[in-house]
Amino acid sequence: MPLSKLNKEQLQAATADLGHNLVIASAGTGKTSTIVGRIAYLLQEGIKPEEILLLTFTNKAANEMKERVGSFLPEAKNIEAGTFHAVSYRWLKRLNKNIVLKQPKDLKILFKSIYDKRDFLRIRGEEKPYSSNYLFDLYSLFLNSNADDFSEWLAQRAPLQEEYALVYESIFDEYEEIKKAHGLVDFNSLLIRMIEELKNGIEVPFKEVLVDEYQDTNPLQNELIESIKQSSLFCVGDYDQSIYAFNGADISIISTFDKRYPDANVFTLKKNYRSYGEILEIANKVIANNPRIYPKNLEVTRGFSGEWPKVLYYNDTFEEYRDVANRILNSSVSRDEIAVLFRNNSSADAIEAMLREKGIECRRKGGVSFFDSREIKITLDILTFIVNPKDIMAFIHIFEYAKGVGSAIANEIFEALMTLGDGDAKKGFLNPDLSKKVFTKKKTSYQLGLFDDFAQLGSVSKFKSVGMDEVFLANPILKHPKLSVEGGEFLYNFYKLLKRLNKLKNPHSVFNEIIASKTFKHIIQNIAKERSKDKNGKIIEEKYLEALEKIENKVKVLGNLLRNYNDLEKFLNAMVLGANEMSEGRGVNLLTVHASKGLEFKEVYLVDLMEKRFPNIKLSKPAGGIEEERRLFYVAVTRAKDRLFLCLAKNDRIRNLSYEPSRFLSEAGYKIEVK
């Protein structure tokens, strides 16, 4: 049984009375075992699995915990478990809310189509306005901060941007209006919608809420936890591993737990089962320079190996990376058990090149995954539009591949189709209401930067040479004043594809029809051409054919995944919710410290331990400053089980910069003689 395998500290926490319980679980101290033990204890005490909610930061972690309990107690499969977003999505669906979940990277295109309609040049600010991508991310950070007033929040962060605040807010408002009109939700609005439902008094079935990685919660997630108004709360985390301040995580949430809940019990897990004693001594020495929120110190259970982590000091970064590659080449440790960790992604390319040069397989977390490749994304977008013709994002993605049709024009064509189809864009294609007017003049606003306006409607005569049938020629969408002949032809081919798909029901038949269509072939040929250009922009025929073959093979993999589903909508939901956690590859692990969290390796190389690289005060200053950087170092060191190498270089020949050794090395007790 899970409880019988716990040590005294873990057992005390896992069997605590219902109430407000916080478990400070230091690195490698058996956090997951304690949570699994807690769930088993609740079930043994007669609490039904449906009355237990487990909130995690990855669906993978939630499933692993359920499986571990389920191997002893089969009823554990009925526990409600998942990320804050996955749980909120399922809960809202059960409440019959009409929502379509979209990834942030998809919604950025919608956001940009709104942003591009603003003319910021007329405002003449002291500082340039933020780009669309940056503003999108900033808006997400604002929502997660749970602040009330954007203008005040912006003024505190960037006073010179305040003069654009009204324009920014108008973009946010239009963005939210379009999302609401089409039932679209992103990860932020999932939580906001769920909090609203909870505040409106929906029934809450849970007797205890368990929260994993509690130190990483942001104010919006914390409001969700508190809005559930559970009778018992069991939070597990480690303030020394709070490293996501840049993403909105607020360390004060875990540090004020006993103040917000005066009846709280705070338990501490100190016995580390992962690392040798020498590694833990370095971690303890450095993190001791940060404020101690709750008393704790890692205790050694594996003993001492007799080998202290080595400091490797090089003349320049190329020499550093080459020697790391040589050491890995000659290491007896399995490649999958070796990791190279770095503070900044800029280090990764050179390290990967050195490893590849020596024939060492490696994988980079954060590279282009299967689901992020353009060919897979567009295939899923076409399937999504077939299932839900109200999906504006899928439509914009598809029609950005039409020549001369950008996101703004695609947005306008979609709105026209929705009007012509009485709220159904597919109907707007196949059976439009010709009495409806589209592409009418829009409002303008000097203050909000809105100066766009439709010119005189275009003529459809230019499309007759394409060979369109008379039915489609009568569709008012062809009258968009900026629609090119090539854009119109793309629309026509898509219209013909919709006509053929309208007769099909089987998901596999739909998939095969799509990949055989002119529309799809046009798209993947464009992608292949982009990937086969030389530095002068010329397409290399051999590379083009190779790229096209790779694209087609990758799409076939998606078709094989679809074979496990008889319902296209369920397949698409599984792809959207799971895409972030699906990855491929093998070999040496190349990871940022952030990406390494929760992992462990027998042999770890921590590179670029120089001032301005690690710690990187410039990156961390807006978030947690030097204390956040120190927590990052602590997380990096505690990934190592057996061997740890601390690497640094005096110079970077590419950047033509010289560096001082990282302060964390002296805090760890090393005396570095500057070369």
Side-chain angles (χ1 to χ4, degrees), residues 289-570:
N289 290 278
N290 272 7
R292 303 291 77 205
I293 297 171
Y294 299 103
K296 75 182 181 75
N297 202 43
L298 284 173
E299 295 178 6
V300 180
T301 63
R302 287 187 66 196
F304 289 76
S305 68
E307 180 185 359
W308 282 91
K310 288 186 176 68
V311 172
L312 305 174
Y313 195 8
Y314 304 92
N315 187 55
D316 66 51
T317 51
F318 269 85
E319 184 185 322
E320 175 191 5
Y321 304 150
R322 185 169 284 113
D323 187 59
V324 167
N326 278 328
R327 287 173 181 270
I328 291 171
L329 182 65
N330 297 314
S331 175
S332 60
V333 176
S334 167
R335 300 281 160 81
D336 289 347
E337 285 282 1
I338 298 175
V340 182
L341 307 183
F342 34 84
R343 172 64 179 90
N344 306 322
N345 255 317
S346 58
S347 305
D349 290 335
I351 296 168
E352 183 177 6
M354 297 294 182
L355 291 171
R356 301 281 185 196
E357 182 183 51
K358 297 184 182 301
I360 300 171
E361 282 188 300
C362 59
R363 53 183 170 183
R364 282 173 65 173
K365 189 170 181 181
V368 178
S369 76
F370 176 81
F371 291 94
D372 281 338
S373 62
R374 291 173 68 192
E375 54 268 34
I376 297 304
K377 286 171 69 177
I378 193 62
T379 309
L380 291 173
D381 282 325
I382 296 173
L383 289 168
T384 298
F385 185 80
I386 303 308
V387 170
N388 178 20
K390 297 180 181 180
D391 194 317
I392 186 173
M393 287 314 307
F395 184 90
I396 290 176
H397 285 167
I398 295 163
F399 281 85
E400 281 192 315
Y401 285 92
K403 190 173 181 181
V405 179
S407 57
I409 295 175
N411 188 343
E412 289 160 0
I413 291 173
F414 179 82
E415 294 297 343
L417 287 166
M418 290 290 283
T419 300
L420 296 167
D422 296 319
D424 184 329
K426 187 159 69 172
K427 185 181 174 186
F429 264 113
L430 302 176
N431 190 23
D433 182 348
L434 301 180
S435 67
K436 299 280 182 69
K437 289 186 177 180
V438 295
F439 308 131
T440 53
K441 289 190 175 184
K442 299 251 182 142
K443 63 183 178 182
T444 59
S445 168
Y446 180 86
Q447 187 182 33
L448 300 184
L450 280 166
F451 306 102
D452 58 318
D453 212 355
F454 283 115
Q456 189 174 0
L457 294 182
S459 168
V460 299
S461 60
K462 59 186 175 184
F463 299 118
K464 290 185 179 178
S465 61
V466 177
M468 296 181 184
D469 62 37
E470 292 299 319
V471 173
F472 190 69
L473 274 172
N475 196 312
I477 59 170
L478 293 176
K479 293 184 178 179
H480 191 288
K482 296 179 182 178
L483 185 63
S484 64
V485 172
E486 293 89 348
E489 186 176 9
F490 189 96
L491 279 168
Y492 182 57
N493 285 331
F494 192 72
Y495 157 79
K496 289 193 291 183
L497 173 61
L498 290 179
K499 281 179 72 175
R500 295 194 300 273
L501 292 176
N502 225 23
K503 302 171 184 177
L504 303 175
K505 298 295 181 186
N506 182 282
H508 313 293
S509 301
V510 169
F511 181 87
N512 290 331
E513 187 66 43
I514 288 170
I515 64 173
S517 68
K518 279 188 178 180
T519 299
F520 190 77
K521 289 187 181 300
H522 168 86
I523 291 170
I524 64 171
Q525 285 166 5
N526 278 353
I527 296 171
K529 285 174 185 176
E530 285 298 317
R531 292 177 183 172
S532 58
K533 288 180 180 177
D534 64 15
K535 62 182 180 181
N536 298 317
K538 182 182 176 183
I539 295 168
I540 309 300
E541 183 66 15
E542 186 180 345
K543 284 188 177 181
Y544 167 75
L545 295 173
E546 183 181 325
L548 194 59
E549 184 181 2
K550 285 182 178 178
I551 290 168
E552 289 170 345
N553 288 338
K554 194 172 277 193
V555 172
K556 286 176 186 175
V557 172
L558 188 67
N560 286 331
L561 288 174
L562 179 58
R563 290 183 187 279
N564 299 320
Y565 295 83
N566 292 317
D567 185 309
L568 200 50
E569 186 173 6
K570 286 182 179 177

